[in-house]
Amino acid sequence: MEFLCSEEDIVNWLASKLEEYAVYIPSEYGFERASSSDELKLNFPLPAISIKSLFFPHSDVLMRFRGKEIVEALPDEEKKIVLTKACDANSLKVLDAVFLSEPVDPYYERRRKNTVIVTVECEQMCYGGFCKDIGIEPEGDVVIRRRGKSYCVEVRNSELLPEFEKFEACDEGAEETAKGTKENLLNIEWLEDAFESEVWDEVSRFCISCGVCTYLCPTCHCFDITDSGRVRIRTWDSCQFPYFTMHTSGYNPRPEKKHRLRNRIYHKFSYFPQRYGIVACVGCGRCVRMCPSRIDIRELVLRRD
């Protein structure tokens, strides 16, 4: 059900949750916990570091060693509200498919449960973004769409409905106008016969294997596990690093940049959809904006009329 609210109404609702919940808001760099209502606003940038850092942090202590005793370092459960954009909200479907499928990852599960996702739909795509081009729709417990000077607030979590019933309902026509229509320009059928294509030589020519595309990507989830002193740590890893697939024998099945870049594209747009039924890309454009070599994934996966 959708309700007609002002920005002040929505901010006041979020502010009323500050004591019961940890309310996380986007900043230019990443997500920060709000400490007062003054920090709450609906017009915010897409942060460089995605929402995945809240549930799958860059560095995570898994275990501690105390003599012969091994202690699992599970994170505390936290009730949280996360204010975010449609692309990041959609990325949680990918991470959930990976970490909440059997065997369930207890570290991710603890951070993910008791979370309310509040998604503010973008009025236009950001530079380098292509979310609307690939049919990304807002996901979340609460979805907020601008309607003139007000907002249509779609409450999808039934537990939150009573908190909005005091507001006027959005009329049906306004709901459809606010949602709009999006054409899906995703073009990935060519990958079926492109494994040995020369396109991978061309696209990877200027890649420096820095891994920024995977670190900033909200759906990339590769990690490494190392023992350091008395702790076992999980840290983000990248399929774009030269030694990512290096075997103990010294053999590397992806020795060249073109092999690694090809694997990234195939994983997101072929292997992952085959396994989970969804594409592992949300069109946020972080990899486009931040790549030092200006490699543009849109040139590989979007239809050009």
Side-chain angles (χ1 to χ4, degrees), residues 50-52 55-56 86-101 105 108 112 134 136 139 217-222 267-269 271-273 275-283:
S50 74
I51 196 172
K52 77 176 178 184
F55 308 103
F56 173 46
C87 54
D88 271 9
N90 266 268
S91 72
L92 294 177
K93 293 196 297 185
V94 175
L95 298 180
D96 287 352
V98 174
F99 292 112
L100 297 183
S101 296
D105 184 296
Y108 180 87
R112 184 72 174 89
I134 61 174
I136 293 298
E139 296 285 338
C217 176
T219 65
C220 281
H221 48 268
C222 290
H267 179 260
K268 288 184 173 298
F269 298 97
Y271 308 149
F272 201 91
R275 183 171 183 180
Y276 295 107
I278 53 175
V279 169
C281 174
V282 293

Side-chain angles (χ1 to χ4, degrees), residues 128-146:
F130 53 103
C131 53
K132 294 184 179 180
D133 290 337
I134 61 174
I136 293 298
E137 297 284 350
E139 296 285 338
D141 299 279
V142 177
V143 175
I144 301 170
R145 300 180 176 90
R146 180 179 283 279

